[in-house]
Amino acid sequence: MKLRTDDDIYRARLLYLGPPGYTFPVHLPYAQYGVFAALLALYMFIHWMFTFTVDIFPAWEIALAMVSTSLIFRYVDPDRPARTVIRTVLTDWRRTREPGTEQRDRRLSASRIRIREELI
């Protein structure tokens, strides 16, 4: 008796293959197109903030968006969606590691003790 695993669910990804009759050479999930478009808009806005100009063909922004999208989707799998990967990157961009040098805690000592007759 063979047991069917649930791998078919994970293999069935939502892919946009291109317009009918003309398929793209690369098959990408819908989520990658959305993340690419959002990153492209973000990079174009950052470029506009610095230069106050918008390029007709934003080559650098497209290249940065492609690289950023591929880096994000390198860590995406069926158990870890893109939303979780992006949230992790945004929350962990600060240093969360322990400091390189050892930091000692303060020594607490009772050098001055006052004894009162009555409680406050």
Side-chain angles (χ1 to χ4, degrees), residues 7 17 24 28 33 41 56 61 65 69 72 76 92-93 95 100 106 117:
D7 291 340
L17 302 176
F24 290 148
L28 299 174
Y33 289 109
I56 294 173
E61 290 85 351
T69 304
I72 289 171
V76 171
D92 289 350
W93 68 274
R95 276 188 83 94
R106 286 188 183 183
E117 295 286 330

Side-chain angles (χ1 to χ4, degrees), residues 80-95:
R80 189 179 332 153
R83 181 180 336 112
T84 306
V85 173
I86 294 170
R87 186 181 323 133
T88 303
V89 168
L90 291 177
T91 56
D92 289 350
W93 68 274
R94 292 172 266 130
R95 276 188 83 94

